Amino acid sequence: GNGITLLQFMTFLDCHELEEVILPDTIKEIEYKSFWNTTKLKKLVIPAGVVFDTGFSSDSLFDGWTEDQTIYCRGPESDMENWGPNWRGTGKMKVVFNYTGE
């Protein structure tokens, strides 16, 4: 097949011991609450052009995230246009764009 294209809602919800996630470039959409309360996750790498599905207007993807956590986006800052109005929720994480590392 062509690989996984959708990260379904609540996929990593409350995965408190998870430290790093590198999503494959085949991922096109990440649904709401996918990373809620993943408090030890220090590094999340997402592909360019990914869409965040925030579900209902009050739902987000990253509630509970702190300043010590970082999202590394392989795309440009303009990718945020596809992330929905409340993608961050209560999250205080950093976001790095045009990421080329592993």
Side-chain angles (χ1 to χ4, degrees):
N2 294 330
I4 298 170
T5 60
L6 172 67
L7 196 64
Q8 293 184 323
F9 87 109
M10 297 185 179
T11 300
F12 296 108
L13 175 71
D14 294 329
C15 288
H16 299 291
E17 300 303 315
L18 194 61
E19 295 181 6
E20 179 177 287
V21 173
I22 300 174
L23 297 176
D25 289 338
T26 59
I27 294 289
K28 302 300 178 205
E29 183 176 348
I30 301 173
E31 290 185 339
Y32 61 101
K33 297 184 182 179
S34 292
F35 293 96
W36 270 26
N37 297 319
T38 51
T39 53
K40 286 190 180 179
L41 186 62
K42 298 297 181 198
K43 179 179 183 181
L44 170 62
V45 180
I46 61 172
V50 73
V51 173
F52 290 170
D53 175 1
T54 54
F56 303 103
S57 61
S58 62
D59 286 330
S60 71
L61 281 80
F62 302 101
D63 275 15
W65 279 46
T66 69
E67 310 76 29
D68 296 328
Q69 295 174 284
T70 305
I71 297 172
Y72 295 89
C73 179
R74 295 198 186 280
E77 190 170 352
S78 61
D79 275 6
M80 286 179 65
E81 296 170 11
N82 298 318
W83 292 3
N86 193 37
W87 65 271
R88 185 181 293 267
T90 64
K92 296 177 173 75
M93 75 299 266
K94 296 179 283 290
V95 181
V96 175
F97 293 97
N98 299 308
Y99 182 70
T100 58
E102 289 299 317

